Amino acid sequence: MPKPSVLFVCVHNAGRSQMAAAFLAYLSAGAVEVRSAGSAPADQVNPAAVAAMAEVGIDIAAEQPKVLTDAAVRASDVVITMGCGDTCPFYPGKRYEDWVLDDPAGKGVEAVRPIRDEIRRRVELLLGELVPA
């Protein structure tokens, strides 16, 4: 059975998609191939997202926002969008989900914590579907 692959996409690839990718990589312990990208990548990962993830023991400080490519979408089984609207290419046969989440851009760590916690909850559900126990 091939390893499932997931692509998380948000506009800047600096907050939501970085946190989701980090949670899935951590919680799946390598059982899922994880990618993240943005339709208009920022220069760096959101410092509040870095701080919020550090609070739960996951270090995303070295991550860099990446541009969304057709190749990344084609290589993924599941594409999770987070506020990027219609900028994500659509390929038949892929599973697409749109997770409506607040954008952590410009917010402090206090405001990012509930977003982080909701992302973790959704990632845990997704992981349960992709890699049944």
Side-chain angles (χ1 to χ4, degrees):
M1 187 80 185
K3 187 188 295 194
S5 59
V6 177
L7 169 64
F8 293 100
V9 183
C10 67
V11 176
H12 301 296
N13 189 221
R16 295 166 291 186
S17 57
Q18 290 284 352
M19 290 189 287
F23 272 130
L24 186 55
Y26 176 78
L27 295 170
S28 75
V32 177
E33 187 176 344
V34 182
R35 298 177 181 84
S36 71
S39 53
D43 294 333
Q44 66 180 13
V45 174
N46 180 334
V50 172
M53 293 300 285
E55 290 178 349
V56 295
I58 300 175
D59 183 4
I60 62 170
E63 295 299 325
Q64 287 295 313
K66 296 167 279 310
V67 70
L68 176 63
T69 64
D70 280 353
V73 177
R74 282 195 305 272
S76 302
D77 300 312
V78 181
V79 179
I80 308 287
T81 58
M82 304 172 177
C84 66
D86 296 329
T87 60
C88 189
F90 180 83
Y91 291 98
K94 303 283 178 203
R95 173 179 164 186
Y96 289 87
E97 287 185 26
D98 184 42
W99 290 0
V100 178
L101 298 159
D102 288 338
D103 188 347
K107 296 185 169 123
V109 71
E110 300 80 20
V112 175
R113 284 184 191 118
I115 301 167
R116 173 202 65 201
D117 295 344
E118 177 60 15
I119 289 170
R120 182 179 186 135
R121 186 189 71 76
R122 292 180 190 211
V123 165
E124 287 171 344
L125 291 171
L126 177 66
L127 181 58
E129 295 170 8
L130 296 175
V131 185

PDB file of all heavy atoms in Angstrom, residues 1-6 28 30-35 75-78 127 129-132:
ATOM      1  N   MET A   1       0.851  -1.188   0.000  1.00  0.00           N
ATOM      2  CA  MET A   1       0.000   0.000   0.000  1.00  0.00           C
ATOM      3  C   MET A   1       0.890   1.243   0.000  1.00  0.00           C
ATOM      4  O   MET A   1       1.685   1.436   0.912  1.00  0.00           O
ATOM      5  CB  MET A   1      -0.884  -0.027   1.248  1.00  0.00           C
ATOM      6  CG  MET A   1      -1.921   1.053   1.299  1.00  0.00           C
ATOM      7  SD  MET A   1      -3.330   0.607   0.285  1.00  0.00           S
ATOM      8  CE  MET A   1      -4.288   2.081   0.404  1.00  0.00           C
ATOM      9  N   PRO A   2       0.753   2.099  -1.020  1.00  0.00           N
ATOM     10  CA  PRO A   2       1.591   3.303  -1.053  1.00  0.00           C
ATOM     11  C   PRO A   2       1.223   4.271   0.070  1.00  0.00           C
ATOM     12  O   PRO A   2       0.101   4.284   0.562  1.00  0.00           O
ATOM     13  CB  PRO A   2       1.300   3.905  -2.422  1.00  0.00           C
ATOM     14  CG  PRO A   2       0.009   3.324  -2.862  1.00  0.00           C
ATOM     15  CD  PRO A   2      -0.120   1.992  -2.173  1.00  0.00           C
ATOM     16  N   LYS A   3       2.189   5.072   0.456  1.00  0.00           N
ATOM     17  CA  LYS A   3       2.004   6.060   1.509  1.00  0.00           C
ATOM     18  C   LYS A   3       1.082   7.167   0.997  1.00  0.00           C
ATOM     19  O   LYS A   3       1.307   7.712  -0.081  1.00  0.00           O
ATOM     20  CB  LYS A   3       3.374   6.639   1.843  1.00  0.00           C
ATOM     21  CG  LYS A   3       3.404   7.553   3.033  1.00  0.00           C
ATOM     22  CD  LYS A   3       4.741   8.242   3.215  1.00  0.00           C
ATOM     23  CE  LYS A   3       5.869   7.331   3.533  1.00  0.00           C
ATOM     24  NZ  LYS A   3       7.066   8.055   4.027  1.00  0.00           N
ATOM     25  N   PRO A   4       0.007   7.510   1.751  1.00  0.00           N
ATOM     26  CA  PRO A   4      -0.848   8.620   1.313  1.00  0.00           C
ATOM     27  C   PRO A   4      -0.077   9.935   1.382  1.00  0.00           C
ATOM     28  O   PRO A   4       0.857  10.081   2.178  1.00  0.00           O
ATOM     29  CB  PRO A   4      -2.010   8.600   2.312  1.00  0.00           C
ATOM     30  CG  PRO A   4      -1.515   7.865   3.499  1.00  0.00           C
ATOM     31  CD  PRO A   4      -0.436   6.931   3.019  1.00  0.00           C
ATOM     32  N   SER A   5      -0.475  10.889   0.538  1.00  0.00           N
ATOM     33  CA  SER A   5       0.192  12.189   0.524  1.00  0.00           C
ATOM     34  C   SER A   5      -0.838  13.300   0.634  1.00  0.00           C
ATOM     35  O   SER A   5      -1.918  13.230   0.044  1.00  0.00           O
ATOM     36  CB  SER A   5       1.025  12.347  -0.737  1.00  0.00           C
ATOM     37  OG  SER A   5       0.214  12.223  -1.878  1.00  0.00           O
ATOM     38  N   VAL A   6      -0.479  14.320   1.392  1.00  0.00           N
ATOM     39  CA  VAL A   6      -1.380  15.440   1.667  1.00  0.00           C
ATOM     40  C   VAL A   6      -0.642  16.744   1.397  1.00  0.00           C
ATOM     41  O   VAL A   6       0.517  16.903   1.776  1.00  0.00           O
ATOM     42  CB  VAL A   6      -1.884  15.415   3.126  1.00  0.00           C
ATOM     43  CG1 VAL A   6      -2.756  16.633   3.423  1.00  0.00           C
ATOM     44  CG2 VAL A   6      -2.640  14.130   3.417  1.00  0.00           C
ATOM     45  N   SER A  28       1.796  11.589  12.267  1.00  0.00           N
ATOM     46  CA  SER A  28       1.815  10.392  11.420  1.00  0.00           C
ATOM     47  C   SER A  28       3.125   9.628  11.543  1.00  0.00           C
ATOM     48  O   SER A  28       3.222   8.493  11.075  1.00  0.00           O
ATOM     49  CB  SER A  28       1.573  10.754   9.947  1.00  0.00           C
ATOM     50  OG  SER A  28       2.725  11.356   9.380  1.00  0.00           O
ATOM     51  N   GLY A  30       5.774   9.739   9.918  1.00  0.00           N
ATOM     52  CA  GLY A  30       6.288   9.279   8.629  1.00  0.00           C
ATOM     53  C   GLY A  30       5.349   8.414   7.815  1.00  0.00           C
ATOM     54  O   GLY A  30       5.688   8.009   6.706  1.00  0.00           O
ATOM     55  N   ALA A  31       4.158   8.141   8.336  1.00  0.00           N
ATOM     56  CA  ALA A  31       3.208   7.287   7.610  1.00  0.00           C
ATOM     57  C   ALA A  31       2.494   8.024   6.485  1.00  0.00           C
ATOM     58  O   ALA A  31       1.847   7.412   5.648  1.00  0.00           O
ATOM     59  CB  ALA A  31       2.179   6.700   8.579  1.00  0.00           C
ATOM     60  N   VAL A  32       2.607   9.362   6.471  1.00  0.00           N
ATOM     61  CA  VAL A  32       1.971  10.182   5.442  1.00  0.00           C
ATOM     62  C   VAL A  32       3.029  11.123   4.867  1.00  0.00           C
ATOM     63  O   VAL A  32       3.827  11.699   5.604  1.00  0.00           O
ATOM     64  CB  VAL A  32       0.803  11.020   6.036  1.00  0.00           C
ATOM     65  CG1 VAL A  32       0.184  11.928   4.984  1.00  0.00           C
ATOM     66  CG2 VAL A  32      -0.255  10.105   6.649  1.00  0.00           C
ATOM     67  N   GLU A  33       3.034  11.253   3.543  1.00  0.00           N
ATOM     68  CA  GLU A  33       3.901  12.232   2.892  1.00  0.00           C
ATOM     69  C   GLU A  33       3.200  13.585   2.986  1.00  0.00           C
ATOM     70  O   GLU A  33       2.037  13.708   2.603  1.00  0.00           O
ATOM     71  CB  GLU A  33       4.119  11.841   1.444  1.00  0.00           C
ATOM     72  CG  GLU A  33       5.127  12.683   0.724  1.00  0.00           C
ATOM     73  CD  GLU A  33       5.378  12.189  -0.698  1.00  0.00           C
ATOM     74  OE1 GLU A  33       5.017  11.054  -1.030  1.00  0.00           O
ATOM     75  OE2 GLU A  33       5.922  12.991  -1.468  1.00  0.00           O
ATOM     76  N   VAL A  34       3.901  14.597   3.491  1.00  0.00           N
ATOM     77  CA  VAL A  34       3.277  15.881   3.794  1.00  0.00           C
ATOM     78  C   VAL A  34       3.962  16.995   3.010  1.00  0.00           C
ATOM     79  O   VAL A  34       5.184  17.067   2.952  1.00  0.00           O
ATOM     80  CB  VAL A  34       3.373  16.191   5.311  1.00  0.00           C
ATOM     81  CG1 VAL A  34       2.686  17.508   5.624  1.00  0.00           C
ATOM     82  CG2 VAL A  34       2.783  15.050   6.129  1.00  0.00           C
ATOM     83  N   ARG A  35       3.121  17.856   2.411  1.00  0.00           N
ATOM     84  CA  ARG A  35       3.604  19.038   1.695  1.00  0.00           C
ATOM     85  C   ARG A  35       2.776  20.238   2.145  1.00  0.00           C
ATOM     86  O   ARG A  35       1.630  20.090   2.556  1.00  0.00           O
ATOM     87  CB  ARG A  35       3.414  18.897   0.187  1.00  0.00           C
ATOM     88  CG  ARG A  35       4.150  17.780  -0.464  1.00  0.00           C
ATOM     89  CD  ARG A  35       3.793  17.730  -1.971  1.00  0.00           C
ATOM     90  NE  ARG A  35       4.472  16.638  -2.607  1.00  0.00           N
ATOM     91  CZ  ARG A  35       4.043  15.378  -2.617  1.00  0.00           C
ATOM     92  NH1 ARG A  35       2.921  15.058  -2.027  1.00  0.00           N
ATOM     93  NH2 ARG A  35       4.743  14.438  -3.230  1.00  0.00           N
ATOM     94  N   ALA A  75       1.097  15.467  -7.258  1.00  0.00           N
ATOM     95  CA  ALA A  75       1.767  14.445  -6.446  1.00  0.00           C
ATOM     96  C   ALA A  75       1.023  14.124  -5.157  1.00  0.00           C
ATOM     97  O   ALA A  75       1.432  13.230  -4.423  1.00  0.00           O
ATOM     98  CB  ALA A  75       3.191  14.899  -6.130  1.00  0.00           C
ATOM     99  N   SER A  76      -0.065  14.822  -4.874  1.00  0.00           N
ATOM    100  CA  SER A  76      -0.784  14.655  -3.607  1.00  0.00           C
ATOM    101  C   SER A  76      -2.114  13.943  -3.810  1.00  0.00           C
ATOM    102  O   SER A  76      -2.807  14.175  -4.791  1.00  0.00           O
ATOM    103  CB  SER A  76      -1.016  16.026  -2.963  1.00  0.00           C
ATOM    104  OG  SER A  76       0.214  16.678  -2.758  1.00  0.00           O
ATOM    105  N   ASP A  77      -2.456  13.087  -2.855  1.00  0.00           N
ATOM    106  CA  ASP A  77      -3.754  12.401  -2.873  1.00  0.00           C
ATOM    107  C   ASP A  77      -4.865  13.296  -2.333  1.00  0.00           C
ATOM    108  O   ASP A  77      -5.998  13.250  -2.790  1.00  0.00           O
ATOM    109  CB  ASP A  77      -3.696  11.128  -2.015  1.00  0.00           C
ATOM    110  CG  ASP A  77      -2.648  10.145  -2.503  1.00  0.00           C
ATOM    111  OD1 ASP A  77      -2.611   9.865  -3.718  1.00  0.00           O
ATOM    112  OD2 ASP A  77      -1.854   9.676  -1.668  1.00  0.00           O
ATOM    113  N   VAL A  78      -4.519  14.081  -1.314  1.00  0.00           N
ATOM    114  CA  VAL A  78      -5.478  14.961  -0.648  1.00  0.00           C
ATOM    115  C   VAL A  78      -4.922  16.375  -0.677  1.00  0.00           C
ATOM    116  O   VAL A  78      -3.748  16.588  -0.363  1.00  0.00           O
ATOM    117  CB  VAL A  78      -5.716  14.524   0.818  1.00  0.00           C
ATOM    118  CG1 VAL A  78      -6.730  15.438   1.494  1.00  0.00           C
ATOM    119  CG2 VAL A  78      -6.158  13.076   0.889  1.00  0.00           C
ATOM    120  N   LEU A 127      -5.904  12.162   9.739  1.00  0.00           N
ATOM    121  CA  LEU A 127      -4.952  11.065   9.915  1.00  0.00           C
ATOM    122  C   LEU A 127      -5.688   9.759  10.195  1.00  0.00           C
ATOM    123  O   LEU A 127      -5.316   8.714   9.655  1.00  0.00           O
ATOM    124  CB  LEU A 127      -3.966  11.392  11.036  1.00  0.00           C
ATOM    125  CG  LEU A 127      -2.897  10.345  11.319  1.00  0.00           C
ATOM    126  CD1 LEU A 127      -2.056  10.063  10.084  1.00  0.00           C
ATOM    127  CD2 LEU A 127      -2.021  10.797  12.484  1.00  0.00           C
ATOM    128  N   GLU A 129      -8.514   8.892   9.069  1.00  0.00           N
ATOM    129  CA  GLU A 129      -9.084   8.424   7.801  1.00  0.00           C
ATOM    130  C   GLU A 129      -8.002   7.852   6.876  1.00  0.00           C
ATOM    131  O   GLU A 129      -8.230   6.875   6.192  1.00  0.00           O
ATOM    132  CB  GLU A 129      -9.782   9.579   7.076  1.00  0.00           C
ATOM    133  CG  GLU A 129     -10.990  10.122   7.786  1.00  0.00           C
ATOM    134  CD  GLU A 129     -11.499  11.407   7.143  1.00  0.00           C
ATOM    135  OE1 GLU A 129     -11.008  11.781   6.060  1.00  0.00           O
ATOM    136  OE2 GLU A 129     -12.370  12.043   7.748  1.00  0.00           O
ATOM    137  N   LEU A 130      -6.840   8.500   6.851  1.00  0.00           N
ATOM    138  CA  LEU A 130      -5.772   8.105   5.923  1.00  0.00           C
ATOM    139  C   LEU A 130      -5.002   6.873   6.390  1.00  0.00           C
ATOM    140  O   LEU A 130      -4.578   6.061   5.570  1.00  0.00           O
ATOM    141  CB  LEU A 130      -4.786   9.258   5.722  1.00  0.00           C
ATOM    142  CG  LEU A 130      -5.332  10.503   5.078  1.00  0.00           C
ATOM    143  CD1 LEU A 130      -4.270  11.598   5.065  1.00  0.00           C
ATOM    144  CD2 LEU A 130      -5.815  10.213   3.654  1.00  0.00           C
ATOM    145  N   VAL A 131      -4.791   6.784   7.696  1.00  0.00           N
ATOM    146  CA  VAL A 131      -4.004   5.689   8.262  1.00  0.00           C
ATOM    147  C   VAL A 131      -4.797   5.102   9.427  1.00  0.00           C
ATOM    148  O   VAL A 131      -4.536   5.430  10.587  1.00  0.00           O
ATOM    149  CB  VAL A 131      -2.610   6.178   8.740  1.00  0.00           C
ATOM    150  CG1 VAL A 131      -1.762   5.021   9.209  1.00  0.00           C
ATOM    151  CG2 VAL A 131      -1.904   6.949   7.638  1.00  0.00           C
ATOM    152  N   PRO A 132      -5.784   4.253   9.126  1.00  0.00           N
ATOM    153  CA  PRO A 132      -6.582   3.676  10.206  1.00  0.00           C
ATOM    154  C   PRO A 132      -5.690   2.874  11.165  1.00  0.00           C
ATOM    155  O   PRO A 132      -4.738   2.223  10.735  1.00  0.00           O
ATOM    156  CB  PRO A 132      -7.578   2.763   9.490  1.00  0.00           C
ATOM    157  CG  PRO A 132      -7.586   3.248   8.068  1.00  0.00           C
ATOM    158  CD  PRO A 132      -6.231   3.817   7.817  1.00  0.00           C
TER     159      PRO A 132
END
